Amino acid sequence: MSHESNGYPPGDNYLNRTKGFLSWITTLDHKRIGMMYLGSVLFFFLIGGAFAIALRTELLTPKDSVQMPQQYDAKGNPASFPKKFLFEKDTYNKLFTLHGAIMVFLVIIPSIPASLGNFVLPIMLGAKDVAFPRLNLWSYYLYIIGTVCFLITLAVGQLDTGWTFYTPYSSSSANSNTNVIMATMGAFILGFSSIFTGINFLVTIHTMRPAGMTWFRMPLLLWALYATSVIQVLATPVLGITLLMLIVERALQIGIFDPALGGDPVLFQHFFWFYSHPAVYIMIVPGMGVASELISTFSRKTIFGYRQIALSSVGLALIGFLVWGHHLFTSTQSDIANMIFSFLTFFVAIPSAIKVFNWLATLYKGSISFETPMLYGLSFIVIFTIGGLTGLFHATLSTSIPLHDTYFVVAHFHYVMMGSALIAFIGGIFYWWPKMTGKMYNDLLGRIAAVIIFIGFNGTFFPQFVMGSKGMPRRYYNYYAEYQPYHKASTYSSYFMACGFVLAGFTLVQSLVRGRKAPPNPWGGATLEWQTTSPPPTENFYHTPVIDDIPYNYERQTYLGPDKGWKDEHFAHEWDDIVAHQDGLSSTPNGNNNKH
Amino acid sequence: MNWALFASDLKDKTYWLPAQLSKEAAETDVHFYLLYWLNVFFFVGIFGLVVYFCVKYRRRTPDQKPLPAPSHNTVLELVWSIIPSLICIGLFYIGFMVYQDLMQPPRETFKINVVGGKWNWEFTYPQTGLLGTSDGPEALPELHVPANIPIELVMTSKDVIHSLYIPVLRTKKDVVPGRYSKLWFNAQIPGTYNIYCAEYCGTSHSEMTAKLVVHENMAKFLEWQKRKEQEIDNKKPVELGEYVWKAKGCRGCHSIDGSTGTGPTFKGLWGMPAEEHKTWKTTGSLTPTKVDENYIRMSINEPNDEVREGFARPSAMPSYKGRLSDKQIAGVIEYLKTLGRDSQPPVKQ
């Protein structure tokens, strides 16, 4: 059987099968949709990041005293207030709102599931595509429509509620000068995008596993994405309903949340966090999945406690639904409710701790190498450990009360959402980049960037723990001068971290221009996506994969050198086919095989 | 918890935490440091192992195989599931016990009413009779309390959700419109401390600060209150007006230097010719309106009846009907006159 008879020419892949803008925006290929998501997510990461840098720059300067008495000059005329560094209060409030909303709704939530997940989930599973390719494209369109709503909000510059849209501030026009309806509409539409992706992944994992791919032979990223999808499908509708009620209240003046109209403002917080706390697990669980892949691959060792990690992902997804009330400890929620939510909150710590211990045990006696993706994997363990442990302060009622709404919380959730979820995302990009683009990047540059990001990140957010425990409230434009040293440390470190991101971006762009060709399996990964060409063909595989083992068996692999990467004995009969297609050859000496 | 153990530490600041002002704050700090050392222990352990494994088991040749090691160990996995669970249950228990102390006031408390509004705090003292003071001479609102007496704040908001946060007492509670939330504490060391608004409430959220002034005892507190009452009563009308502008939250929106805030500036407002000063009537028409005594009084009591052109409709200003006395309104009018056209600015001594 010649390669041509497989139905596609040698050297063919998902990137070059068809060409042109139209072929991309009408594509049903999960890989192309994943790449479009990736591009969009990175674009918004740039915008959200730029806002963050602007905020931190503003915070370099305090006012001597937060609220200043009127000053008079020598002639007795009232003097104007001294200007702060960059911009005025309202601008600051709008910037932190958009920073939060963009990073949460447009970047972190779709980051790993919709971009990397879309790309690798079907390949890791051994399938040709997701179960509903059209729905997949439609969810991307919805994502774009949602982002347009946010961009309009951005252009009009009228959203200052914080990304949490707390009522009655957000629901009453007398209270805030905001474009709440447009922004919540955006979040509402993005929610549907998220739900559709979740449904697609659930059905794909349930129905499209090839022969031999049992539940406990699935790579851990798939378990993580499965758990994430469950949360997306179950929790996101609540956000949709809540935002719809907000729009109805604002547009029709029906009292739901606004006490002036007879509503209950705290009710909104319950609805909002019923989605938004599980959403934290939408953000972090896929990151844990990516970390599991990275740590196993670069230790060349079967992941320790596979079942425990897999089930702890599902455990997190379920317990994550029961703890939203810990966002309301000071909200006038009853003491009994506070007690129950505090108790339940502690139990999200257990699956998280279990995963960290398992990763450690995976490193033990491994053969650990330090390519760029692994540095992100190790950063993930360290930063997530801090992020997770500091969560204990917020679950314990006595310490949660003073630390609530201070920079301590800001630091905690940045350690989890940025230092963990986003670091895993960046690590995943570097891990699958050769697979996605067929190009190798400069590993040295990549590693330098990873180290800069790690140091910069800790320098930015660790001082925020200190000022938070000293009482610095969050979302403050002005502050007392005693907090300034911590703000300065945080701001300067954030510049350093930004340099790391720029360097990382440069490394990737440079690889597209000057990178050498990637072998099928440059890292020695044992999961299925490494058993096809880089980049893969539109149908993902040349032969339907047959799975007969756990996903992390590295013993069958041999190293062929830096240019050729790793070869897996299990797929030896397909290897020549893969290499032939990869190199664009029409035939190879051993190219014919009729085993399938 | 033996309170005496911490009494000598009351004034000390630690690296992580501000001063402690109450027994409950001290207990909270014990938990903070318990968690802190637990964090340090686990972090150092995990980070140390990561570094140790990375050095010891680093790949030296490209095809180096891992050393033989099990991929699963039920006993180990049970141990590291059960021990953290037990720690967590313990933490929950102690945290909840102190939380109860923090939230449950003693039977007898000295009650103070708190009204939060954008962007000011108003503290009134129904049990001793002082009404509506919300500032000190230097304009920050001040909450005055006697030391060593349990204080209970009965709080509500006139617009959006705020949150009263006193770092030295390690306590905070949201201030919600349409209901009363309560917060109690027993401050033990006289002095002046910071109060913050911890729940984001709009433009000047970060300026919604106040001072907690703890007097040595009830007698000193009553002395202060007496001084305060006389001080307010004896003000000249212009000074009373300026006091109201500072104390009642007017200045959050109305500047006196000509800059436009959420509301019109007071500078040059008085005596502004009607043709320059158009307002929206409730009938929906835009009409030139003369700024005189009646207009000012109406704007204070019913801000929505006439909204100046170029400002949010409905007006962002809450009604002050019944919250300013006639004497205070007259004072505001006198104060506005000094800021009006052709008037000299107030001369400060």
Side-chain angles (χ1 to χ4, degrees):
Chain A
M1 190 166 71
S2 70
H3 302 295
E4 286 80 358
S5 67
N6 283 348
Y8 31 85
D12 161 88
N13 61 48
Y14 84 99
L15 291 170
N16 63 18
R17 172 73 61 90
T18 52
K19 286 201 160 53
F21 182 71
L22 259 182
S23 79
W24 277 80
I25 61 162
T26 59
T27 186
L28 298 179
D29 183 348
H30 68 98
K31 296 182 287 302
R32 285 191 167 196
I33 295 171
M35 292 304 277
M36 291 193 290
Y37 263 117
L38 185 63
S40 320
V41 165
L42 289 177
F43 171 73
F44 283 104
F45 178 58
L46 200 67
I47 295 184
F51 287 171
I53 294 293
L55 292 170
R56 288 260 35 110
T57 305
E58 176 59 56
L59 288 169
L60 276 173
T61 49
K63 267 185 178 172
D64 296 341
S65 141
V66 173
Q67 194 173 37
M68 296 189 71
Q70 182 65 51
Q71 306 286 313
Y72 297 91
D73 62 20
K75 291 175 189 163
N77 296 316
S80 56
F81 287 88
K83 288 262 191 275
K84 273 199 75 187
F85 209 59
L86 272 184
F87 35 71
E88 290 302 314
K89 285 179 272 197
D90 279 327
T91 316
Y92 177 86
N93 293 342
K94 285 168 190 167
L95 279 181
F96 82 64
T97 299
L98 284 166
H99 165 71
I102 286 176
M103 285 303 198
V104 170
F105 293 117
L106 303 187
V107 179
I108 307 179
I109 288 181
S111 65
I112 294 178
S115 66
L116 294 179
N118 243 322
F119 191 97
V120 298
L121 180 134
I123 317 184
M124 278 185 144
L125 201 63
K128 285 184 178 174
D129 207 316
V130 291
F132 307 119
R134 280 171 210 284
L135 187 67
N136 202 16
L137 183 64
W138 177 229
S139 75
Y140 179 70
Y141 286 170
L142 284 177
Y143 173 81
I144 292 298
I145 296 170
T147 60
V148 167
C149 291
F150 270 91
L151 286 176
I152 292 173
T153 322
L154 190 63
V156 181
Q158 292 290 320
L159 183 72
D160 71 344
T161 59
W163 77 276
T164 47
F165 305 116
Y166 269 18
T167 53
Y169 187 76
S170 62
S171 61
S172 139
S173 57
N175 287 328
S176 60
N177 44 348
T178 63
N179 199 352
V180 173
I181 289 184
M182 186 55 85
T184 48
M185 205 60 192
F188 182 76
I189 294 168
L190 289 168
F192 273 97
S193 165
S194 184
I195 293 170
F196 290 160
T197 303
I199 289 176
N200 223 334
F201 285 3
L202 288 179
V203 177
T204 305
I205 290 175
H206 269 281
T207 63
M208 296 185 67
R209 282 172 288 126
M213 179 60 91
T214 60
W215 284 89
F216 285 113
R217 283 183 188 160
M218 290 200 312
L220 286 169
L221 177 61
L222 298 191
W223 273 97
L225 288 173
Y226 185 85
T228 307
S229 301
V230 170
I231 310 175
Q232 283 177 317
V233 170
L234 292 181
T236 318
V238 180
L239 177 75
I241 293 163
T242 312
L243 296 179
L244 210 56
M245 286 196 279
L246 199 59
I247 293 170
V248 165
E249 173 163 75
R250 183 110 190 210
L252 306 178
Q253 297 290 302
I254 296 170
I256 303 169
F257 305 122
D258 186 351
L261 301 169
D264 180 352
V266 181
L267 178 67
F268 176 84
Q269 298 178 26
H270 280 285
F271 277 136
F272 182 82
W273 289 111
F274 187 86
Y275 163 75
S276 291
H277 195 80
V280 172
Y281 300 99
I282 296 180
M283 303 183 218
I284 189 66
V285 171
M288 293 165 161
V290 170
S292 300
E293 301 297 327
L294 298 181
I295 289 159
S296 176
T297 298
F298 291 94
S299 305
R300 302 206 58 69
K301 200 162 153 271
T302 305
I303 195 119
F304 189 91
Y306 170 90
R307 283 184 186 226
Q308 210 186 11
I309 297 185
L311 295 175
S312 67
S313 288
V314 180
L316 269 181
L318 297 180
I319 304 169
F321 274 102
L322 306 174
V323 302
W324 79 89
H326 66 227
H327 294 269
L328 287 84
F329 281 163
T330 69
S331 73
T332 71
Q333 178 176 257
S334 76
D335 289 347
I336 294 290
N338 281 354
M339 180 187 82
I340 293 168
F341 281 119
S342 165
F343 184 76
L344 292 172
T345 298
F346 276 109
F347 287 91
V348 290
I350 312 302
S352 312
I354 286 171
K355 282 177 195 265
V356 172
F357 295 138
N358 279 307
W359 293 326
L360 271 182
T362 305
L363 291 174
Y364 174 67
K365 292 196 173 178
S367 164
I368 305 169
S369 69
F370 302 97
E371 279 96 347
T372 309
M374 183 57 163
L375 293 187
Y376 286 104
L378 294 170
S379 296
F380 179 93
I381 301 182
V382 173
I383 294 174
F384 179 71
T385 300
I386 299 179
L389 283 169
T390 51
L392 294 175
F393 287 91
H394 304 298
T396 308
L397 272 168
S398 54
T399 48
S400 181
I401 299 294
L403 296 175
H404 183 85
D405 269 334
T406 66
Y407 263 75
F408 200 93
V409 180
V410 177
H412 161 71
F413 73 70
H414 277 90
Y415 263 81
V416 177
M417 283 156 71
M418 185 189 179
S420 307
L422 262 173
I423 289 282
F425 174 55
I426 308 282
I429 293 175
F430 275 92
Y431 183 55
W432 284 295
W433 188 258
K435 185 56 64 184
M436 295 189 289
T437 64
K439 300 286 184 159
M440 296 301 288
Y441 48 82
N442 183 329
D443 196 48
L444 180 66
L445 282 186
R447 281 191 270 182
I448 293 172
V451 171
I452 292 176
I453 291 172
F454 178 77
I455 296 171
F457 173 84
N458 283 290
T460 305
F461 292 104
F462 199 82
Q464 299 189 0
F465 281 122
V466 185
M467 62 176 142
S469 69
K470 287 175 182 295
M472 170 82 205
R474 67 192 282 204
R475 294 173 167 177
Y476 262 33
Y477 169 81
N478 289 325
Y479 56 87
Y480 285 106
E482 60 187 278
Y483 298 115
Q484 196 184 14
Y486 306 102
H487 277 295
K488 275 186 164 170
S490 183
T491 301
Y492 292 134
S493 302
S494 73
Y495 296 158
F496 188 59
M497 174 167 58
C499 295
F501 279 116
V502 170
L503 183 61
F506 171 78
T507 308
L508 294 179
V509 172
Q510 190 204 33
S511 80
L512 293 179
V513 184
R514 298 176 51 182
R516 63 184 168 85
K517 272 186 96 169
N521 187 359
W523 317 119
T527 41
L528 287 176
E529 79 274 25
W530 304 108
Q531 318 306 339
T532 184
T533 52
S534 302
T538 303
E539 294 79 6
N540 293 345
F541 298 99
Y542 298 93
H543 310 278
T544 306
V546 176
I547 294 91
D548 65 353
D549 203 354
I550 53 162
Y552 303 106
N553 187 344
Y554 299 95
E555 287 175 11
R556 305 188 289 211
Q557 294 187 344
T558 46
Y559 185 59
L560 304 176
D563 291 334
K564 293 191 173 168
W566 299 74
K567 178 180 175 183
D568 198 315
E569 292 308 321
H570 180 55
F571 298 90
H573 53 285
E574 289 157 24
W575 179 255
D576 298 318
D577 254 13
I578 293 171
V579 172
H581 275 93
Q582 170 98 21
D583 295 343
L585 302 174
S586 59
S587 67
T588 60
N590 302 315
N592 295 343
N593 71 70
N594 296 310
K595 284 175 185 160
H596 290 273
Chain B
M1 198 66 60
N2 183 355
W3 166 232
L5 278 177
F6 301 97
S8 60
D9 295 337
L10 270 180
K11 279 201 165 169
D12 291 349
K13 287 186 185 187
T14 59
Y15 178 70
W16 285 88
L17 298 168
Q20 302 164 339
L21 219 59
S22 69
K23 173 172 162 288
E24 290 72 25
E27 289 175 354
T28 302
D29 289 359
V30 172
H31 291 182
F32 183 91
Y33 275 105
L34 176 71
L35 285 165
Y36 174 78
W37 288 111
L38 200 70
N39 271 234
V40 170
F41 173 78
F42 276 104
F43 177 73
V44 169
I46 290 168
F47 184 65
L49 283 177
V50 168
V51 172
Y52 176 72
F53 290 161
C54 282
V55 173
K56 182 154 189 208
Y57 303 116
R58 69 184 182 279
R59 197 180 298 171
R60 292 171 172 85
T61 58
D63 55 352
Q64 179 181 325
K65 293 216 180 311
L67 300 168
S71 66
H72 165 66
N73 182 324
T74 308
V75 175
L76 194 59
E77 287 170 39
L78 279 177
V79 165
W80 69 40
S81 309
I82 291 170
I83 290 180
S85 301
L86 293 177
I87 293 176
C88 283
I89 290 172
L91 288 175
F92 159 74
Y93 178 75
I94 59 165
F96 179 63
M97 296 317 274
V98 167
Y99 169 81
Q100 281 187 312
D101 293 349
L102 210 57
M103 288 300 138
Q104 290 299 320
R107 194 165 295 166
E108 296 287 316
T109 53
F110 180 71
K111 292 190 178 54
I112 299 173
N113 292 346
V114 178
V115 179
K118 292 193 295 187
W119 291 278
N120 202 0
W121 298 101
E122 195 174 290
F123 304 106
T124 61
Y125 304 81
Q127 278 174 276
T128 51
L130 185 62
L131 271 174
T133 85
S134 61
D135 81 312
E138 284 315 306
L140 271 183
E142 286 176 4
L143 169 61
H144 288 256
V145 299
N148 292 310
I149 287 176
I151 308 292
E152 190 168 6
L153 305 180
V154 181
M155 311 187 289
T156 189
S157 163
K158 50 187 174 192
D159 37 47
V160 300
I161 299 177
H162 303 281
S163 185
L164 189 100
Y165 173 34
I166 311 176
V168 288
L169 291 161
R170 309 284 187 276
T171 193
K172 72 163 68 71
K173 189 82 161 194
D174 287 7
V175 178
V176 184
R179 69 173 70 161
Y180 296 97
S181 55
K182 292 179 180 176
L183 183 69
W184 89 276
F185 57 85
N186 187 348
Q188 309 204 329
I189 305 169
T192 306
Y193 309 92
N194 289 332
I195 295 176
Y196 296 118
C197 174
E199 184 63 66
Y200 174 70
C201 56
T203 309
S204 297
H205 167 54
S206 65
E207 288 168 25
M208 195 169 157
T209 58
K211 291 286 177 194
L212 171 70
V213 181
V214 181
H215 295 272
E216 279 164 42
N217 49 42
M218 198 60 172
K220 287 265 167 65
F221 169 79
L222 291 172
E223 237 171 67
W224 163 80
Q225 176 174 308
K226 199 167 186 184
R227 271 204 318 276
K228 190 78 198 167
E229 279 168 340
Q230 286 169 350
E231 198 178 284
I232 296 169
D233 217 40
N234 293 340
K235 279 182 196 295
K236 291 176 194 155
V238 176
E239 286 172 2
L240 184 63
E242 188 182 0
Y243 168 82
V244 168
W245 173 74
K246 282 177 181 171
K248 297 290 180 181
C250 314
R251 65 172 168 173
C253 303
H254 302 283
S255 77
I256 54 168
D257 61 1
S259 63
T260 303
T262 307
T265 180
F266 283 174
K267 189 180 183 185
L269 183 65
W270 182 263
M272 189 179 258
E275 53 273 19
E276 286 178 36
H277 186 269
K278 292 186 178 168
T279 58
W280 293 97
K281 308 279 181 193
T282 41
T283 54
S285 62
L286 188 62
T287 321
T289 310
K290 186 169 165 41
V291 179
D292 59 8
E293 285 87 347
N294 277 321
Y295 175 75
I296 300 296
R297 191 182 172 88
M298 182 273 305
S299 297
I300 291 171
N301 286 335
E302 300 292 350
N304 240 330
D305 279 6
E306 291 192 31
V307 180
R308 171 110 170 249
E309 188 185 15
F311 293 88
R313 292 171 65 207
S315 171
M317 180 169 156
S319 165
Y320 278 75
K321 198 171 194 172
R323 286 163 52 199
L324 295 187
S325 66
D326 285 349
K327 194 173 171 184
Q328 286 170 326
I329 291 176
V332 170
I333 290 169
E334 291 308 312
Y335 180 53
L336 278 172
K337 285 182 184 169
T338 67
L339 297 168
R341 300 195 170 183
D342 315 320
S343 307
Q344 290 300 311
V347 178
K348 283 276 155 182
Q349 277 90 39

